[in-house]
DNA sequence: ACCATAATGTAGCGACCGCTACAATAGAAA
DNA sequence: TTTCTATTGTAGCGGTCGCTACATTATGGT
């Protein structure tokens, strides 16, 4: 094995940062390579194809986002359901997570267009979020599996409404479905 | 004014059909022109730029979807709130409306990436939906403005969850937040 | 020391992108 | 009928796309 093999993790990290800043669906090899301080030639060499690269990059971003979520909100039961939901919505709306939400909507739209890989990783991210969320529900929450799915649906709705400038409507929806 | 001027409505209709079938964000001038039985040259001539064309096409699609919604679900108060929500979700999930939902998610992701025009038309579509929905609420619904926003958030969440293969979770969310 | 081979750079392929310069055409106005 | 101009076709520009052919390098195994 001559020459040093590339630091895959480092390349993924730099490409991930580029995608978080500039978007997923508009990302192309040459800008990605520049961000990772390499060449499109090498990206194809190491990942096989753009499709495989994007799939691996999405896995990487999903792992990273999960880590960030754990860091921002440690797995402790919330005092009550409404506080739980509000904290999470505030977190996802924060500048630290807004880029993830943009990439998330890119994944969703690609999945809706029929991309299997985007649908698979998107579904896995949702299921991971279910678990993450369940660990933060108040201890006495009845039917936690269903509760996290209800909260998740509302959260996704909020993300969509935020994206088209309807944050006020999203706030009213939260207040109505999860009154303080 | 020599020669016949193009039938703008007909061109929009054909391009709209193409976008509903093949996606919005991946649409480019030459395939759009082919669908409309004209040339990219003429599309630019009549619409000024691709950006202006897409903006007008989105207005057209929004109008059309509003018409289709009215046709599918006439403005009569529903017997109860849960039936109202379930009918609407079933409608948006039907084959007739699934293509609109795909385009909708394309609009949302572009809006999230910072496209002003997508955000504006997306917000307008949501507000139109608020009105449409309010006309179908049961007569005795308290605080209809807030209710439609809550239903809208849930509906958008369902659309997102459906897109990534989490329709089961979406169903459970509906059953939990709007129990029969 | 030498060699096999993994890693990399350079250059470019063919396809597509949005858009435009230029010329031709056709029909209304005179 | 002639002229003027809105409309259209043809061809192509400069750019980007994913990807590859080919040559070169550098290093670990022998």
């Amino acid at each position: 094995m001559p020459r040093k093999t590339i630091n895959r993790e480092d390349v993924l990290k730099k490409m991930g940062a580029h995608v978080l800043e500039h978007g997923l669906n508009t990302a192309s090899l040459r800008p990605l390579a520049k961000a990772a301080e390499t060449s499109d030639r090498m990206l194809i060499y190491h990942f096989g194809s753009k499709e495989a690269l994007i799939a691996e990059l999405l896995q990487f971003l999903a792992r990273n986002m999960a880590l960030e979520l754990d860091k921002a909100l440690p797995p402790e039961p919330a005092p009550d359901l409404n506080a739980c939901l509000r904290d999470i919505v505030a977190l996802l709306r924060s500048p630290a997570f807004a880029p993830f939400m943009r990439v998330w909507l890119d994944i969703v739209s690609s999945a809706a267009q029929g991309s299997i890989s985007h649908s698979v990783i998107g579904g896995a991210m949702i299921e991971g979020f279910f678990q993450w969320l369940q660990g933060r529900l108040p201890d006495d929450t009845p039917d936690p599996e269903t509760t996290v799915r209800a909260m998740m649906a509302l959260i996704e709705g909020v993300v969509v409404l935020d994206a088209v400038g309807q944050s006020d409507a999203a706030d009213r929806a939260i207040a109505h479905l999860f009154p303080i």
Side-chain angles (χ1 to χ4, degrees), chain A:
Chain A
M1 283 160 236
R3 227 116 160 207
K4 69 163 193 295
T5 186
I6 67 158
N7 185 341
R8 210 181 182 81
E9 204 69 10
D10 182 59
V11 167
L12 285 171
K13 182 178 149 195
K14 286 170 176 167
M15 291 194 300
H18 179 266
V19 158
L20 285 174
E21 185 176 350
H22 297 97
L24 174 66
N25 290 346
T26 61
S28 49
L29 286 179
R30 271 166 263 246
L32 282 173
K34 192 169 188 179
E37 294 168 304
T38 176
S39 65
D40 56 330
R41 168 71 181 75
M42 293 317 297
L43 291 184
I44 294 291
Y45 178 73
H46 285 295
F47 293 91
S49 68
K50 187 196 179 185
E51 192 182 346
L53 183 154
I54 293 294
E56 191 166 334
L57 184 53
L58 287 183
Q59 309 262 12
F60 173 85
L61 284 171
R63 278 201 313 275
N64 258 48
M65 177 170 167
L67 290 178
E68 293 293 321
L69 282 175
D70 279 335
K71 206 189 300 175
L73 223 61
E76 293 167 9
D80 67 276
L81 207 53
N82 297 325
C84 180
L85 177 64
R86 278 151 215 278
D87 284 353
I88 292 169
V89 168
L91 181 61
L92 295 183
R93 280 172 162 173
S94 71
F97 279 92
F100 282 108
M101 293 302 101
R102 287 198 290 270
V103 170
W104 168 246
L105 289 175
D106 274 345
I107 295 173
V108 170
S109 79
S110 291
Q113 297 298 333
S115 163
I116 305 294
S117 62
H118 287 78
S119 183
V120 168
I121 181 71
M125 289 175 74
I126 289 286
E127 276 167 9
F129 209 101
F130 286 160
Q131 286 197 316
W132 180 88
L133 188 46
Q134 200 166 330
R136 281 144 188 89
L137 290 182
D139 281 328
D140 59 345
T141 308
D143 198 355
E145 284 90 1
T146 303
T147 302
V148 297
R149 281 157 179 78
M151 292 174 74
M152 193 73 232
L154 178 54
I155 289 167
E156 293 299 340
V158 168
V159 169
V160 168
L161 291 175
D162 282 353
V164 295
Q166 295 284 344
S167 298
D168 292 350
D171 290 336
R172 288 175 73 175
I174 294 171
H176 188 256
L177 292 172
F178 287 79
I180 293 183

